[in-house]
Amino acid sequence: MPTPSEWSLTAPQKLTFEEPVTALNVRLVNGTLNIVGTDSGPARLELSAVSGPPLRVTHEDGRLTVGYEDVPWRGFLAWLDRSGWRRSATVTLTVPTATRVEAGVVGAAAVVSGIGGATDVRGVTGDVTLVALTGPVRAESVNGALEAQSLGGDLHFNSVSGDLTLVEGRGGAVRAESVTGGMVIDLADASGAAGTALDLTTVSGDVALRLPPETDADVDATTATGRVSCAFESLTVQGHWPPRRVSGRLGAGGVRVKVTTTSGAVALLRRREGKVL
């Protein structure tokens, strides 16, 4: 069995990994994390700033791990050791496009782009940005926001109070749940295979969903006390003033669109070609 390569980083440094990298696990507390997928060259790490405990890096059997010994991946969202927050790092990782990515941040901003493998992002605080990911994405947040653009795979989002913004979604299923966070979903392509679902649920967060004019979907959107507005004439708006449900079929149907909120407002908007939210 190959001996793992290990580094303990206490100052800015660059590392190049000549052996293959197929999986990446990163856990940062404060600072900035950038993960970039590429089809050329070996995987690379650049640590441009660091304070507090050493940042530990290991590479074994294709798995690259970057983080701290006292910050576990399992139970990451429950890691609330405030005394351990006195640390920071600014890290840029360049890995092959097909890499499977697991990234956890506490108080750090994270950007993940160009990844085609499965991506799992967890955040206690700190905003996360995802750009041009083609694989499935799972994102969990306590109160950090998630902003995503041009996702090609399925998205599963779960949050307590963090907002979700998805721009130019490319046909994957979207399942999102939040207590107080709002959701803005803009789909450039809603022609997924029959059975593809958009399932958006909040307690008090507002939901805005924008669909292309040529959409084949079965829609059911409800709110207990919020308002409902709809730009599609073929859908039926029901309920006492203010209206609280919109339902019906767009085109030939097939894609299931379900929006449920207790007190948030619901808006179903028509997308104009070339326009984004």
Side-chain angles (χ1 to χ4, degrees):
M1 179 178 296
T3 302
S5 300
E6 299 184 7
W7 297 263
S8 182
L9 307 183
T10 59
Q13 188 171 345
K14 296 181 180 180
L15 299 175
T16 299
F17 308 95
E18 299 297 341
E19 296 298 320
V21 171
T22 58
L24 172 67
N25 178 281
V26 187
R27 304 177 305 280
L28 284 191
V29 180
N30 298 321
T32 303
L33 171 63
N34 293 293
I35 300 174
V36 181
T38 181
D39 291 324
S40 61
R44 303 181 299 276
L45 178 150
E46 180 178 356
L47 176 64
S48 55
V50 62
S51 63
L55 194 66
R56 186 169 181 265
V57 179
T58 62
H59 183 210
E60 182 179 12
D61 295 333
R63 184 175 185 85
L64 179 61
T65 302
V66 181
Y68 300 98
E69 293 184 346
D70 62 337
V71 183
W73 176 252
R74 179 175 294 182
F76 181 83
L77 293 180
W79 191 79
L80 298 174
D81 181 8
R82 292 283 177 174
S83 64
W85 284 33
R86 293 190 292 271
R87 63 187 79 183
S88 178
T90 300
V91 179
T92 297
L93 286 149
T94 304
V95 295
T97 300
T99 302
R100 301 186 307 276
V101 171
E102 297 174 335
V105 292
V106 179
V111 178
V112 184
S113 62
I115 295 295
T119 299
D120 186 344
V121 182
R122 305 177 188 181
V124 177
T125 57
D127 297 339
V128 174
T129 301
L130 309 177
V131 180
L133 307 187
T134 57
V137 174
R138 182 179 182 88
E140 297 180 77
S141 170
V142 177
N143 59 20
L146 174 67
E147 296 185 359
Q149 182 173 359
S150 299
L151 299 188
D154 295 347
L155 170 63
H156 187 179
F157 173 76
N158 189 285
S159 173
V160 177
S161 60
D163 294 336
L164 167 63
T165 301
L166 171 61
V167 177
E168 295 183 332
R170 296 293 174 181
V174 178
R175 180 171 182 173
E177 302 174 10
S178 182
V179 179
T180 60
M183 301 179 188
V184 178
I185 309 295
D186 167 65
L187 298 184
D189 182 0
S191 59
T196 299
L198 280 77
D199 192 346
L200 314 176
T201 303
T202 76
V203 176
S204 60
D206 296 338
V207 178
L209 173 61
R210 186 156 71 172
L211 301 171
E214 302 300 325
T215 295
D216 296 324
D218 295 294
V219 178
D220 185 12
T222 60
T223 176
T225 59
R227 291 184 60 88
V228 167
S229 58
C230 178
F232 292 90
E233 296 81 1
S234 60
L235 298 181
T236 301
V237 178
Q238 301 170 316
H240 300 292
W241 184 263
R244 298 197 173 99
R245 182 174 187 178
V246 57
S247 61
R249 173 164 289 187
L250 296 175
V255 175
R256 302 190 310 274
V257 176
K258 184 176 182 180
V259 180
T260 306
T261 179
T262 301
S263 60
V266 176
L268 297 178
L269 310 173
R270 186 188 302 271
R271 194 178 200 270
R272 294 183 179 180
E273 198 63 32
K275 299 291 186 180
V276 297
L277 291 175

